[in-house]
Amino acid sequence: MNESLPYSGDESLRPAIVEALGRVIDPEMALDILSIGLVYGVEATRERVKVRLTMTSAACPMGELIVADIEDALREALGPVAIEVEMCWDPPWSPERMSPEARSAMGWE
């Protein structure tokens, strides 16, 4: 489980949310969005999940696809729940946000 993910709300949902987000792949990097460090935080209740998300750049053409994949993965994991994905750019994404495993997979070590 990703303990470093900023998370607030119903802790019983955390494992399912982390697992679901871990299945969402950035097609350009071929790595999951948690390992890349694209998820800035999650707020969760039984009725609503809000994900704060960034992209590697504001010009990323995969943004809409990734948001749709997040919504699909969370609905599959949690059932009927309101899902909000907030795109944010502050702080800007940088490779330092990536997990050591992701940096290694990209050859950035």
Side-chain angles (χ1 to χ4, degrees):
M1 186 181 321
N2 190 326
E3 296 297 330
S4 64
L5 175 68
Y7 182 94
S8 64
D10 187 334
E11 282 294 325
S12 70
L13 299 174
R14 184 184 183 110
I17 290 171
V18 169
E19 193 273 330
L21 295 176
R23 291 193 320 262
V24 176
I25 304 298
D26 179 324
E28 291 187 314
M29 297 182 85
L31 296 167
D32 72 87
I33 61 173
L34 293 177
S35 295
I36 300 169
L38 297 182
V39 179
Y40 283 179
V42 174
E43 299 170 18
T45 67
R46 294 248 171 231
E47 296 79 32
R48 179 179 162 278
V49 176
K50 179 179 179 180
V51 177
R52 291 186 63 241
L53 179 74
T54 195
M55 294 288 120
T56 55
S57 79
C60 178
M62 295 294 117
E64 289 182 25
L65 174 69
I66 291 171
V67 168
D69 287 351
I70 288 170
E71 292 169 349
D72 291 345
L74 288 173
R75 281 198 183 92
E76 183 179 314
L78 303 174
V81 60
I83 299 168
E84 176 185 353
V85 179
E86 175 190 351
M87 195 68 69
C88 55
W89 306 105
D90 188 33
W93 181 87
S94 72
E96 288 77 32
R97 293 193 50 82
M98 296 174 77
S99 70
E101 296 82 12
R103 281 194 302 274
S104 178
M106 296 296 295
W108 294 353
E109 296 254 331

PDB file of all heavy atoms in Angstrom, residues 25-39:
ATOM      1  N   ILE A  25      -2.492   3.433 -15.807  1.00  0.00           N
ATOM      2  CA  ILE A  25      -1.185   3.549 -16.456  1.00  0.00           C
ATOM      3  C   ILE A  25      -1.138   4.810 -17.321  1.00  0.00           C
ATOM      4  O   ILE A  25      -2.067   5.087 -18.080  1.00  0.00           O
ATOM      5  CB  ILE A  25      -0.905   2.311 -17.339  1.00  0.00           C
ATOM      6  CG1 ILE A  25      -1.002   1.018 -16.512  1.00  0.00           C
ATOM      7  CG2 ILE A  25       0.442   2.424 -18.058  1.00  0.00           C
ATOM      8  CD1 ILE A  25      -0.007   0.920 -15.379  1.00  0.00           C
ATOM      9  N   ASP A  26      -0.048   5.560 -17.199  1.00  0.00           N
ATOM     10  CA  ASP A  26       0.212   6.665 -18.121  1.00  0.00           C
ATOM     11  C   ASP A  26       0.762   6.030 -19.391  1.00  0.00           C
ATOM     12  O   ASP A  26       1.859   5.466 -19.376  1.00  0.00           O
ATOM     13  CB  ASP A  26       1.227   7.633 -17.515  1.00  0.00           C
ATOM     14  CG  ASP A  26       1.561   8.802 -18.421  1.00  0.00           C
ATOM     15  OD1 ASP A  26       1.615   8.620 -19.655  1.00  0.00           O
ATOM     16  OD2 ASP A  26       1.789   9.905 -17.903  1.00  0.00           O
ATOM     17  N   PRO A  27       0.011   6.103 -20.495  1.00  0.00           N
ATOM     18  CA  PRO A  27       0.449   5.396 -21.706  1.00  0.00           C
ATOM     19  C   PRO A  27       1.772   5.891 -22.274  1.00  0.00           C
ATOM     20  O   PRO A  27       2.478   5.129 -22.918  1.00  0.00           O
ATOM     21  CB  PRO A  27      -0.677   5.647 -22.714  1.00  0.00           C
ATOM     22  CG  PRO A  27      -1.777   6.279 -21.975  1.00  0.00           C
ATOM     23  CD  PRO A  27      -1.262   6.746 -20.666  1.00  0.00           C
ATOM     24  N   GLU A  28       2.114   7.130 -22.030  1.00  0.00           N
ATOM     25  CA  GLU A  28       3.380   7.648 -22.561  1.00  0.00           C
ATOM     26  C   GLU A  28       4.585   7.135 -21.790  1.00  0.00           C
ATOM     27  O   GLU A  28       5.662   6.975 -22.360  1.00  0.00           O
ATOM     28  CB  GLU A  28       3.369   9.178 -22.552  1.00  0.00           C
ATOM     29  CG  GLU A  28       2.394   9.763 -23.545  1.00  0.00           C
ATOM     30  CD  GLU A  28       2.504  11.260 -23.654  1.00  0.00           C
ATOM     31  OE1 GLU A  28       2.566  11.950 -22.614  1.00  0.00           O
ATOM     32  OE2 GLU A  28       2.532  11.737 -24.794  1.00  0.00           O
ATOM     33  N   MET A  29       4.402   6.875 -20.504  1.00  0.00           N
ATOM     34  CA  MET A  29       5.526   6.419 -19.691  1.00  0.00           C
ATOM     35  C   MET A  29       5.452   4.931 -19.377  1.00  0.00           C
ATOM     36  O   MET A  29       6.408   4.359 -18.872  1.00  0.00           O
ATOM     37  CB  MET A  29       5.608   7.238 -18.402  1.00  0.00           C
ATOM     38  CG  MET A  29       5.869   8.722 -18.676  1.00  0.00           C
ATOM     39  SD  MET A  29       6.016   9.683 -17.173  1.00  0.00           S
ATOM     40  CE  MET A  29       7.753   9.435 -16.811  1.00  0.00           C
ATOM     41  N   ALA A  30       4.301   4.317 -19.627  1.00  0.00           N
ATOM     42  CA  ALA A  30       4.075   2.890 -19.368  1.00  0.00           C
ATOM     43  C   ALA A  30       4.300   2.526 -17.897  1.00  0.00           C
ATOM     44  O   ALA A  30       4.762   1.429 -17.583  1.00  0.00           O
ATOM     45  CB  ALA A  30       4.925   2.020 -20.281  1.00  0.00           C
ATOM     46  N   LEU A  31       3.977   3.470 -17.015  1.00  0.00           N
ATOM     47  CA  LEU A  31       4.068   3.263 -15.568  1.00  0.00           C
ATOM     48  C   LEU A  31       2.778   3.760 -14.929  1.00  0.00           C
ATOM     49  O   LEU A  31       2.087   4.619 -15.491  1.00  0.00           O
ATOM     50  CB  LEU A  31       5.257   4.024 -14.981  1.00  0.00           C
ATOM     51  CG  LEU A  31       6.639   3.585 -15.449  1.00  0.00           C
ATOM     52  CD1 LEU A  31       7.686   4.607 -15.043  1.00  0.00           C
ATOM     53  CD2 LEU A  31       6.971   2.220 -14.885  1.00  0.00           C
ATOM     54  N   ASP A  32       2.477   3.253 -13.731  1.00  0.00           N
ATOM     55  CA  ASP A  32       1.246   3.677 -13.070  1.00  0.00           C
ATOM     56  C   ASP A  32       1.377   5.098 -12.506  1.00  0.00           C
ATOM     57  O   ASP A  32       2.476   5.568 -12.217  1.00  0.00           O
ATOM     58  CB  ASP A  32       0.837   2.688 -11.981  1.00  0.00           C
ATOM     59  CG  ASP A  32       1.737   2.765 -10.771  1.00  0.00           C
ATOM     60  OD1 ASP A  32       1.463   3.586  -9.883  1.00  0.00           O
ATOM     61  OD2 ASP A  32       2.718   1.990 -10.728  1.00  0.00           O
ATOM     62  N   ILE A  33       0.234   5.763 -12.373  1.00  0.00           N
ATOM     63  CA  ILE A  33       0.221   7.174 -11.983  1.00  0.00           C
ATOM     64  C   ILE A  33       0.701   7.413 -10.559  1.00  0.00           C
ATOM     65  O   ILE A  33       1.191   8.505 -10.258  1.00  0.00           O
ATOM     66  CB  ILE A  33      -1.161   7.818 -12.207  1.00  0.00           C
ATOM     67  CG1 ILE A  33      -2.241   7.128 -11.368  1.00  0.00           C
ATOM     68  CG2 ILE A  33      -1.518   7.797 -13.694  1.00  0.00           C
ATOM     69  CD1 ILE A  33      -3.597   7.815 -11.404  1.00  0.00           C
ATOM     70  N   LEU A  34       0.617   6.411  -9.690  1.00  0.00           N
ATOM     71  CA  LEU A  34       1.150   6.570  -8.334  1.00  0.00           C
ATOM     72  C   LEU A  34       2.675   6.549  -8.358  1.00  0.00           C
ATOM     73  O   LEU A  34       3.323   7.387  -7.720  1.00  0.00           O
ATOM     74  CB  LEU A  34       0.613   5.488  -7.403  1.00  0.00           C
ATOM     75  CG  LEU A  34      -0.883   5.547  -7.091  1.00  0.00           C
ATOM     76  CD1 LEU A  34      -1.274   4.362  -6.218  1.00  0.00           C
ATOM     77  CD2 LEU A  34      -1.251   6.856  -6.418  1.00  0.00           C
ATOM     78  N   SER A  35       3.250   5.609  -9.085  1.00  0.00           N
ATOM     79  CA  SER A  35       4.712   5.512  -9.160  1.00  0.00           C
ATOM     80  C   SER A  35       5.335   6.738  -9.801  1.00  0.00           C
ATOM     81  O   SER A  35       6.431   7.147  -9.430  1.00  0.00           O
ATOM     82  CB  SER A  35       5.127   4.273  -9.959  1.00  0.00           C
ATOM     83  OG  SER A  35       4.732   3.106  -9.300  1.00  0.00           O
ATOM     84  N   ILE A  36       4.616   7.315 -10.767  1.00  0.00           N
ATOM     85  CA  ILE A  36       5.124   8.505 -11.451  1.00  0.00           C
ATOM     86  C   ILE A  36       5.005   9.738 -10.561  1.00  0.00           C
ATOM     87  O   ILE A  36       5.726  10.711 -10.745  1.00  0.00           O
ATOM     88  CB  ILE A  36       4.364   8.731 -12.780  1.00  0.00           C
ATOM     89  CG1 ILE A  36       4.544   7.536 -13.700  1.00  0.00           C
ATOM     90  CG2 ILE A  36       4.842  10.000 -13.476  1.00  0.00           C
ATOM     91  CD1 ILE A  36       3.625   7.561 -14.898  1.00  0.00           C
ATOM     92  N   GLY A  37       4.115   9.685  -9.589  1.00  0.00           N
ATOM     93  CA  GLY A  37       3.927  10.832  -8.701  1.00  0.00           C
ATOM     94  C   GLY A  37       2.925  11.844  -9.240  1.00  0.00           C
ATOM     95  O   GLY A  37       2.991  13.025  -8.906  1.00  0.00           O
ATOM     96  N   LEU A  38       1.987  11.376 -10.056  1.00  0.00           N
ATOM     97  CA  LEU A  38       0.991  12.286 -10.619  1.00  0.00           C
ATOM     98  C   LEU A  38      -0.150  12.583  -9.655  1.00  0.00           C
ATOM     99  O   LEU A  38      -0.834  13.596  -9.803  1.00  0.00           O
ATOM    100  CB  LEU A  38       0.404  11.713 -11.918  1.00  0.00           C
ATOM    101  CG  LEU A  38       1.373  11.507 -13.075  1.00  0.00           C
ATOM    102  CD1 LEU A  38       0.629  10.970 -14.297  1.00  0.00           C
ATOM    103  CD2 LEU A  38       2.114  12.788 -13.420  1.00  0.00           C
ATOM    104  N   VAL A  39      -0.369  11.732  -8.660  1.00  0.00           N
ATOM    105  CA  VAL A  39      -1.467  11.937  -7.714  1.00  0.00           C
ATOM    106  C   VAL A  39      -0.949  12.740  -6.530  1.00  0.00           C
ATOM    107  O   VAL A  39      -0.047  12.312  -5.816  1.00  0.00           O
ATOM    108  CB  VAL A  39      -2.063  10.589  -7.249  1.00  0.00           C
ATOM    109  CG1 VAL A  39      -3.192  10.836  -6.246  1.00  0.00           C
ATOM    110  CG2 VAL A  39      -2.558   9.790  -8.437  1.00  0.00           C
TER     111      VAL A  39
END
